[in-house]
Amino acid sequence: MSRRTRDALVGYALLVPSAVIFVWFFFYPLVRLFVMGLHQQNRTGTAERYVGWSRFGDVLTGEQFTEGLRISATYVLYTVPLGLVLGVLLAVAANRRLKGIKVFQTIFSSTIASSVAVASVVFFVLLNPQIGYFSSVKFFSLSDPDTALRGVALSSVWQNLGLTFVIVLAGLQAIPDEVDEAATLDGYGPVRRFFRVTLPLISPTLMFLAVVLVIFALQAFAQADILTQGGPVGATETLVFKIFRSQQPIDQGTGSIMALGLFGITLLVSLAQFLLLERRVHYGN
Amino acid sequence: MSEVAFDGVTKRFGEVTAVDQLTLDIADGEFMVLLGPSGCGKTTALRMIAGLETVTEGTLRIGDRVVNDVEAKDRDIAMVFQSYALYPHMTVARNIESPLVARRFHVDADAPPRKLTAAERSERVDQAARSLGLTDLMGRKPAALSGGQRQRVALARAIVARPSAFLMDEPLSNLDAKLRAQTRIELVELHERLATTFVYVTHDQVEAMTMADRIAVLNEGRLQQVGPPQAVYERPHNLFVARFIGSPPMNTVPGTVVRTDTGVAVQLGGQRIDLDPVAHEPLADGTEVVIGVRPEHLAVDPDGQVKAQVRAVEWLGHERLVVCDLAEHHITVRQSSGAEPVAPGDVLALTADPAHVHLFDPNTTERLN
């Protein structure tokens, strides 16, 4: 056996564990979704028959899916820009050499350690229409179908803020002090320095965060489930929420197809973000 | 064009005093080098001129304006950083243009300063780029440039706004030796062409000696000596300057002044070095001193009064450094490579050029002669 072959064999052997995990937990379920989407179950869920691809078209253009998608897309618009802006503001505020600044950095990043459930319970107490501290604020009232999604979005923004803050802060700290000083000596004040130097130099970080936050938002489920159970009148039924609700023993196809639709959309959105933003993003040397 | 004047300027960072009571006048159009080892306060002094550090005590003037409370962006100063600090996301052209965008300039006679038009900016950028040979690189980003090219872009960005003073913080330290030597000459030419105040920070005495009109030597935050390179080299005011300037450094050996009927001498262990009796009139018999002689002012001479044993010989091509043991001290003798060969173990008789013998007080380290 040549050295080259032996090296290759060792390499593949080392890849086996991760390949097994990938196939078992990712690839196989994906294939199963297709299979379930192509079959219809009987009343007891004990047998299935092939119904074909036409069902994909029906489900993906159906009201359930499009309405869920509309709500999820709105949710993305509510959470991602606000989350990014707040994260950048906090990180810029905390990125200075002051005594005790670590305390603030720790506080600002603390939501990273909270789960969706914790965040939702916190906001449940704040926003609950009966007992909440902010129940009188109409703008994100959970009892009004027009505003309930904003309330849910708020809890997501809060919960993701720690992550955004930590990552943006790391991005800011990677900018050499001299570059900012050079801009000062070139005659730029703090605000212009931010837009001229800081923002372009953290653009790769922001691009990464934008992709991640969009994916998080498209996957939102627990927030809505805990805060509103999808209500009022379905106003906070995100796509994942609808997928979860549609999955029953006698119908495993609809949810599967919707899940595949969400997968495809997430994939496309992420690709589009990379392609569009890539051109505007500066990656340093 | 402006003079820069430090008047009793102190900078403290918490408990640490980085610059201590610095008083230094930098004349309009002068090339002043702040020289010293790392941590001596030279960069802090420079950053105070730039406005990147505040002044703790004292006053700092640029031109006739006290700038203690003037913001960095309003000081009309350009700085070349050690790391060049180019904007990585901008092309060379936009990097050079940067100081022209935000500021107002006196363009029209009898009119208040105004912002430059795009055409005026581009003309100035082209001019700066041409003078530094960057015309072909204008569309590139810094990552696609060599170290020397980046350094030129930083220089172009500094000169484009025609500031009243240029500050340079070790701008050559990231270049290789050959390019550094070449750039030294170019910087001197640039200074002559612009006729503007340059304040240049370095720890490299070669840069200081070759470029400066005057050198300010700093150590531990304090100014040790200011003067033209030759004066600082030939008449160091204290032991620190004597040992810091010159390569290899000045030989310094403790001794005692001895007055005899025939004249004045310094006694080193069992040996003596005669001094010029007129110049050393005030020194009393028995004064403890540190005697300093530069390696090139020691010569092998059969009549020499000082005997030293050769320890090592370093051959450098054009010259030879002979390291000798003298009492418990090492001294270095600089010889041309054509001199008679010596080998470790030889005992040499040495004379010191009496015109170039330096005496220092061992306690205050100040110069005595």
Side-chain angles (χ1 to χ4, degrees):
Chain A
M1 203 184 332
S2 77
R3 193 198 165 95
R4 211 183 145 86
T5 326
R6 207 168 54 227
D7 282 354
L9 282 178
V10 171
Y12 290 126
L14 290 171
L15 280 175
V16 165
S18 57
V20 166
I21 290 171
F22 177 79
V23 169
W24 197 338
F25 289 101
F26 297 95
F27 191 68
Y28 169 72
L30 192 66
V31 173
R32 270 301 288 165
L33 284 180
F34 276 103
V35 173
M36 288 195 287
L38 292 169
H39 291 80
Q40 196 169 42
Q41 282 73 29
N42 67 1
R43 279 170 187 279
T44 52
T46 49
E48 52 187 25
R49 72 184 170 92
Y50 182 79
V51 292
W53 291 96
S54 64
R55 193 166 169 217
F56 274 75
D58 294 345
V59 171
L60 293 179
T61 55
E63 212 222 310
Q64 277 252 72
F65 184 79
T66 50
E67 179 62 11
L69 187 59
R70 187 189 65 76
I71 291 172
S72 281
T74 314
Y75 195 71
V76 168
L77 291 181
Y78 283 163
T79 54
V80 177
L82 182 64
L84 275 181
V85 169
L86 285 179
V88 171
L89 284 179
L90 280 187
V92 168
N95 182 32
R96 53 196 75 206
R97 292 189 190 91
L98 286 179
K99 222 174 218 171
I101 195 68
K102 291 264 179 239
V103 174
F104 286 92
Q105 293 178 352
T106 309
I107 292 172
F108 292 159
S109 53
S110 62
T111 70
I112 229 176
S114 72
S115 69
V116 183
V118 171
S120 303
V121 168
V122 168
F123 274 76
F124 186 74
V125 174
L126 293 175
L127 302 179
N128 182 287
Q130 275 82 46
I131 59 158
Y133 298 111
F134 297 118
S135 55
S136 58
V137 181
K138 291 267 175 289
F139 187 75
F140 42 72
S141 164
L142 290 183
S143 55
D144 181 342
D146 292 335
T147 59
L149 195 62
R150 295 180 194 159
V152 179
L154 213 55
S155 82
S156 263
V157 167
W158 181 82
Q159 204 230 325
N160 290 335
L161 200 53
L163 177 74
T164 315
F165 170 78
V166 167
I167 293 177
V168 174
L169 187 64
L172 289 174
Q173 288 177 345
I175 300 177
D177 288 343
E178 301 91 68
V179 175
D180 199 48
E181 289 171 352
T184 308
L185 294 178
D186 283 350
Y188 300 96
V191 176
R192 297 186 70 173
R193 285 206 300 280
F194 175 78
F195 286 104
R196 208 179 146 78
V197 177
T198 311
L199 205 54
L201 291 183
I202 60 168
S203 59
T205 306
L206 295 182
M207 141 107 188
F208 164 76
L209 276 172
V211 173
V212 168
L213 291 178
V214 166
I215 293 173
F216 280 2
L218 287 175
Q219 292 175 344
F221 165 74
Q223 299 91 318
D225 193 42
I226 295 171
L227 281 172
T228 59
Q229 292 83 49
V233 288
T236 56
E237 287 190 4
T238 60
L239 194 50
V240 178
F241 196 93
K242 287 192 189 291
I243 293 170
F244 175 71
R245 281 287 164 87
S246 68
Q247 206 70 350
Q248 296 152 17
I250 58 158
D251 181 11
Q252 297 181 351
T254 311
S256 302
I257 293 169
M258 284 166 63
L260 285 168
L262 176 61
F263 170 72
I265 287 164
T266 311
L267 193 67
L268 285 179
V269 168
S270 307
L271 274 177
Q273 277 182 314
F274 273 109
L275 292 177
L276 285 175
L277 293 177
E278 182 97 312
R279 275 187 271 156
R280 308 206 44 172
V281 162
H282 159 74
Y283 288 99
N285 42 321
Chain B
M1 284 184 280
S2 284
E3 69 222 30
V4 176
F6 288 89
D7 187 5
V9 169
T10 296
K11 174 66 189 180
R12 276 189 284 271
F13 296 103
E15 301 289 297
V16 182
T17 303
V19 174
D20 193 2
Q21 293 287 320
L22 175 63
T23 297
L24 175 66
D25 286 326
I26 301 167
D28 187 6
E30 184 171 32
F31 197 134
M32 171 66 83
V33 172
L34 307 183
L35 176 67
S38 50
C40 73
K42 56 192 191 296
T43 296
T44 306
L46 191 79
R47 289 170 60 85
M48 282 193 283
I49 305 176
L52 298 173
E53 302 290 352
T54 56
V55 174
T56 313
E57 271 167 34
T59 53
L60 175 62
R61 282 187 302 109
I62 299 175
D64 43 19
R65 181 163 73 143
V66 173
V67 293
N68 286 35
D69 298 318
V70 177
E71 278 196 57
K73 73 183 181 72
D74 302 322
R75 287 199 186 188
D76 187 23
I77 289 281
M79 181 153 164
V80 177
F81 292 83
Q82 183 172 6
S83 62
Y84 312 139
L86 301 178
Y87 308 119
H89 56 298
M90 295 183 193
T91 59
V92 168
R94 285 198 60 212
N95 262 286
I96 300 175
E97 187 193 32
S98 178
L100 301 178
V101 179
R103 290 217 191 91
R104 290 165 195 282
F105 293 86
H106 284 282
V107 194
D108 320 297
D110 306 329
R114 62 166 172 84
K115 292 209 171 176
L116 300 180
T117 64
E120 285 167 336
R121 290 204 301 268
S122 125
E123 191 193 316
R124 289 201 187 186
V125 169
D126 285 346
Q127 201 183 336
R130 226 177 305 125
S131 74
L132 286 155
L134 292 168
T135 315
D136 295 336
L137 305 172
M138 297 300 267
R140 294 218 201 150
K141 291 199 176 159
L145 301 177
S146 70
Q149 289 167 334
R150 287 181 205 183
Q151 209 262 352
R152 281 160 188 281
V153 176
L155 276 176
R157 182 174 68 181
I159 66 173
V160 75
R162 301 165 197 167
S164 55
F166 289 95
L167 310 180
M168 304 198 180
D169 186 8
E170 312 227 5
L172 305 187
S173 56
N174 289 337
L175 302 180
D176 62 49
K178 194 177 160 199
L179 200 52
R180 206 180 304 160
Q182 184 190 330
T183 312
R184 284 204 305 261
I185 294 169
E186 288 173 0
L187 280 177
V188 171
E189 288 168 356
L190 185 70
H191 175 247
E192 277 165 17
R193 198 162 72 229
L194 300 169
T196 305
T197 314
F198 274 43
V199 186
Y200 185 107
V201 160
T202 184
H203 65 271
D204 180 343
Q205 48 167 313
V206 177
E207 289 174 21
M209 300 301 273
T210 51
M211 295 191 288
D213 291 331
R214 285 194 302 158
I215 298 175
V217 185
L218 285 101
N219 187 38
E220 295 178 342
R222 287 170 191 242
L223 183 62
Q224 307 291 314
Q225 185 170 358
V226 200
Q230 200 179 352
V232 173
Y233 186 81
E234 289 179 351
R235 278 190 70 80
H237 284 181
N238 59 35
L239 266 176
F240 174 80
V241 178
R243 287 173 179 155
F244 188 74
I245 303 228
S247 176
M250 182 186 285
N251 300 301
T252 51
V253 180
T256 313
V257 173
V258 188
R259 285 196 170 271
T260 60
D261 299 339
T262 51
V264 190
V266 174
Q267 181 90 27
L268 311 167
Q271 319 206 31
R272 278 182 183 202
I273 295 178
D274 282 333
L275 301 175
D276 180 351
V278 181
H280 297 91
E281 187 58 39
L283 289 177
D285 188 52
T287 311
E288 298 286 324
V289 294
V290 173
I291 181 166
V293 184
R294 293 208 181 272
E296 63 268 33
H297 298 134
L298 284 172
V300 178
D301 179 345
D303 302 330
Q305 304 156 296
V306 180
K307 304 283 187 290
Q309 188 172 32
V310 176
R311 191 155 180 261
V313 180
E314 292 182 318
W315 190 75
L316 300 171
H318 63 295
E319 65 179 15
R320 222 168 35 205
L321 301 177
V322 183
V323 181
C324 307
D325 287 324
L326 175 68
E328 307 90 84
H329 303 280
H330 299 312
I331 60 168
T332 306
V333 182
R334 177 179 254 152
Q335 292 187 310
S336 76
S337 43
E340 195 173 326
V342 292
D346 292 355
V347 173
L348 301 179
L350 301 171
T351 53
D353 182 345
H356 293 103
V357 172
H358 311 267
L359 295 180
F360 301 96
D361 185 315
N363 299 313
T364 67
T365 78
E366 297 295 315
R367 185 182 188 88
L368 292 171
N369 60 338

